[in-house]
């Protein structure tokens, strides 16, 4: 992520349907994002890595993916992904970005396992995680709120072999789509 991304991330926080990033309906100014993005980098290995997701063809910012709670000793991390605006969701961008994040996590950082937390109400995110190879690992009660009610979180995890099998299946489906809608191996 860099400073130039602050404006678009701030704009997404005022999209009422989204209620991203635990700010609820409180809009967040670009200044807040600029402050967060210009902080000092950590002295040692970071405990989180956040990356902006942008279209290859015109560099338009779509959202972000991240590795959180990075545990360099036990080689685990939590993944997060946000496609900022509704019009860009359910088009496969979130899964393509996550596949690249997982390749980075498993094949470059050599992590052993990734996990992800999803509110029970977020059925689209569950569907996306299952496509990406994640498997149900548990449930944590009363951990979130949605529309003024308490909701639970479902926990998912994935090992490298499970991700590889899911990526093969995803690539096969991509290859069988029409050329205009297909996503190539290099992410373009
Ligand atoms: C979750 C998110 C990152 C997924 O990215 P995406 O680009 O929308 O996901 P994809 O298009 O790759 O896959 C979504 C799948 O859910 C399906 N889907 C769409 N709406 C759905 C719904 N209401 N319930 C169940 N499945 C749904 C889509 O059909 C698609 O499956 P398919 O490819 O088999 O048809 C994105 O939707 C997003 O940012 N949502 C808001 C923020 C968020 O929830 N972040 C995750 C927090 S845990």
């Amino acid at each position: 992520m860099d400073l130039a991304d602050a404006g678009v991330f701030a704009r997404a926080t005022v999209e009422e349907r989204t209620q991203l990033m635990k700010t609820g309906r409180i809009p967040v100014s670009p200044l807040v994002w600029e402050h967060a993005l210009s902080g000092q980098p950590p002295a040692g290995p970071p405990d989180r890595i956040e990356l902006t997701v942008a279209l290859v063809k015109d560099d338009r910012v779509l959202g972000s993916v991240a590795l959180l709670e990075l545990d360099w000793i036990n080689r685990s991390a939590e993944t997060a992904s946000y496609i900022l605006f509704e019009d860009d969701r359910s088009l496969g961008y979130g899964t393509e970005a996550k596949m690249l994040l997982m390749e980075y996590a498993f094949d470059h950082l050599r992590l052993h396992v990734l996990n992800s937390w999803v509110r029970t109400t977020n059925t689209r995110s569950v569907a996306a995680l299952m496509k990406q190879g994640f498997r149900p690992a548990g449930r944590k009660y009363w951990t979130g709120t949605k529309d003024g009610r308490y909701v639970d979180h479902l926990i998912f995890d994935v090992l490298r072999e499970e991700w590889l099998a899911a990526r093969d299946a995803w690539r096969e489906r991509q290859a069988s789509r029409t050329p205009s809608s297909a996503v190539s191996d290099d992410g373009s």
Side-chain angles (χ1 to χ4, degrees):
M1 286 182 163
D2 61 32
L3 273 180
D5 300 335
V8 66
F9 282 99
R11 188 154 54 82
T13 63
V14 299
E15 185 192 282
E16 194 168 339
R17 277 174 304 170
T18 308
Q19 298 183 20
L20 288 175
M21 304 168 197
K22 298 189 179 163
T23 62
R25 282 193 232 149
I26 303 166
V28 176
S29 146
L31 287 176
V32 174
W33 276 98
E34 281 171 19
H35 180 75
L37 293 174
S38 55
Q40 287 291 317
D47 62 1
R48 59 196 289 149
I49 297 173
E50 295 183 84
L51 304 163
T52 293
V53 176
L55 279 179
V56 170
K57 66 173 179 191
D58 58 8
D59 218 25
R60 180 168 71 85
V61 173
L62 296 175
S64 64
V65 288
L67 297 172
L68 310 174
E69 311 283 342
L70 261 162
D71 180 336
W72 297 98
I73 306 294
N74 299 301
R75 296 161 51 217
S76 65
E78 178 185 340
T79 67
S81 50
Y82 294 107
I83 299 297
L84 292 172
F85 300 103
E86 185 59 38
D87 286 353
D88 292 322
R89 295 180 189 146
S90 295
L91 298 176
Y93 293 135
T95 291
E96 183 182 355
K98 185 67 87 60
M99 290 290 179
L100 293 169
L101 180 78
M102 291 162 90
E103 181 179 328
Y104 173 58
F106 285 125
D107 289 351
H108 295 261
L109 302 182
R110 304 281 170 195
L111 298 187
H112 177 67
V113 65
L114 298 171
N115 63 73
S116 196
W117 290 54
V118 190
R119 284 186 290 193
T120 45
T121 47
N122 197 346
T123 51
R124 173 166 48 194
S125 182
V126 169
L129 287 173
M130 298 295 281
K131 267 198 304 185
Q132 295 153 12
F134 283 84
R135 299 285 164 247
R139 182 177 187 127
K140 196 92 163 122
Y141 292 87
W142 313 116
T143 39
T145 50
K146 174 77 178 168
D147 299 330
R149 290 170 191 272
Y150 283 102
V151 294
D152 305 338
H153 273 87
L154 301 173
I155 304 164
F156 292 81
D157 64 24
V158 61
L159 298 169
R160 182 173 182 275
E161 291 67 33
E162 294 167 325
W163 159 66
L164 284 175
R167 188 176 67 170
D168 285 348
W170 171 74
R171 283 179 166 173
E172 256 176 50
R173 281 197 304 276
Q174 293 298 118
S176 66
R177 292 166 67 183
T178 58
S180 60
S181 60
V183 178
S184 66
D185 270 357
D186 65 1
S188 59

